[in-house]
Amino acid sequence: MQLSVVIIGYNSWHFLEKNLDSLAFLYGDPQMEIIYVDNASTDGTPARIRQRYPTVRVVENRKNAGISVARNRGLSLASGKYIWFLDSDTEITEPALHALLKFMDETPDAGLCGCKMYGQDGQVQDSCRKFPSLRGKWKAAVHIILRKLSGNRLAPSRCLQAYDTNQENPFEVDYVIGACQLIRREAQAKVGLLDEHIFYGPEDADFCLRMKQAGYAVYYLPQISIYHAYQRISSHRLFSRITREHLWGLIYYFWKHR
């Protein structure tokens, strides 16, 4: 099998309907499979997917154990040469997928790649970044707090650790966010699973760092693009459980990699 698409979600039907519709060209292709892992949704998502998209393999977790656990469960079931992590709030096109696969086939040192993503505002997102730093995270947190206190009158800041995406050709980066990661299965087998100590947060940076430590490169393809609604749930609710989990994930990441 060539490709296994792994999507996870939690009460995400309002996004998943568009996401799975955009993947319709894969249905019925014996070289492709789609695996959806549900993190204990209460909005009826699994039943809706089974009814409307019968070729999608649906797996249900008994509780919301976080991103890493859910994606690892999808990985354990996937049989493709490539694994494609997609967030539930993405929408893709057939040309984008074929271009990503072509790049991976022609670039043997690539363990993982991502592409340009446009948000609801039509702007290019900071989806390829340098590894997290204490300075960068501190400045980002201060800006988020000030923006909340101003009633969102302050403009969102560009990620301080992002790359310039105004380029024409693929280039190597530290990491690409987990909303869209096309992974070489051979590389993943060498690197291992996502770190399940991270519930939500830098699991994507950690995975890409370990990919590089294993001798593979991580690439960003600016000539290919998809849509990503980008929920940013940790910055929307500053004092929620997900924000605390994100903070703990960062603390763990910095401790783990010193």
Side-chain angles (χ1 to χ4, degrees):
M1 183 171 290
Q2 185 183 29
L3 178 70
S4 298
V5 182
V6 175
I7 306 164
I8 66 172
Y10 171 71
N11 291 336
S12 303
W13 173 248
H14 53 299
F15 288 119
L16 279 163
E17 189 173 14
K18 294 179 180 179
N19 170 272
L20 293 172
D21 281 347
S22 75
L23 292 166
F25 65 92
L26 297 180
Y27 302 150
D29 188 331
Q31 291 300 311
M32 310 285 182
E33 65 177 352
I34 302 174
I35 301 168
Y36 170 71
V37 182
D38 188 82
N39 258 338
S41 294
T42 57
D43 64 349
T45 291
R48 288 172 171 175
I49 292 177
R50 289 188 177 102
Q51 180 178 28
R52 182 162 175 174
Y53 309 96
T55 61
V56 175
R57 184 173 183 180
V58 178
V59 182
E60 297 183 62
N61 288 333
R62 293 183 178 180
K63 65 177 183 179
N64 186 353
I67 291 176
S68 296
V69 170
R71 284 193 171 137
N72 282 344
R73 191 166 186 194
L75 272 174
S76 70
L77 299 171
S79 56
K81 176 183 177 182
Y82 296 110
I83 314 296
W84 198 12
F85 285 160
L86 283 178
D87 271 3
S88 59
D89 55 357
T90 57
E91 296 173 42
I92 65 96
T93 65
E94 186 172 1
L97 172 58
H98 290 323
L100 287 166
L101 289 171
K102 183 175 185 292
F103 174 82
M104 292 296 284
D105 282 339
E106 295 176 350
T107 316
D109 73 316
L112 182 157
C113 75
C115 67
K116 184 173 289 185
M117 290 191 279
Y118 288 92
Q120 294 170 311
D121 57 3
Q123 299 298 309
V124 177
Q125 298 172 351
D126 298 321
S127 57
C128 61
R129 302 174 181 174
K130 298 176 183 178
F131 290 125
S133 71
L134 289 170
R135 175 178 174 271
K137 288 298 179 181
W138 170 253
K139 287 191 174 183
V142 169
H143 183 86
I144 289 171
I145 293 171
L146 291 176
R147 188 163 186 259
K148 288 293 181 182
L149 293 175
S150 72
N152 291 329
R153 287 191 294 271
L154 283 178
S157 66
R158 178 173 172 81
C159 176
L160 296 172
Q161 297 165 292
Y163 289 84
D164 177 13
T165 57
N166 294 317
Q167 303 184 44
E168 296 182 359
N169 299 314
F171 57 94
E172 190 173 349
V173 298
D174 281 356
Y175 80 100
V176 294
I177 65 172
C180 174
Q181 292 182 336
L182 183 62
I183 305 161
R184 190 182 305 278
R185 187 55 185 258
E186 177 184 320
Q188 181 275 314
K190 186 175 180 180
V191 171
L193 299 173
L194 277 70
D195 191 329
E196 295 186 359
H197 290 94
I198 305 174
F199 181 95
Y200 169 82
E203 79 289 331
D204 44 13
D206 174 80
F207 188 66
C208 289
L209 177 54
R210 290 190 285 127
M211 187 72 69
K212 287 175 171 289
Q213 291 171 340
Y216 293 95
V218 174
Y219 286 94
Y220 176 80
L221 281 60
Q223 77 278 21
I224 302 168
S225 64
I226 64 172
Y227 171 81
H228 179 214
Y230 202 16
Q231 300 174 70
R232 293 186 67 101
I233 53 179
S234 63
S235 61
H236 287 169
R237 295 170 291 188
L238 291 178
F239 303 107
S240 65
R241 178 202 171 194
I242 198 68
T243 301
R244 295 193 300 271
E245 293 285 3
H246 181 67
L247 178 59
W248 162 248
L250 285 170
I251 293 170
Y252 171 80
Y253 172 89
F254 288 126
W255 171 84
K256 176 180 178 181
H257 298 293
R258 303 296 192 275

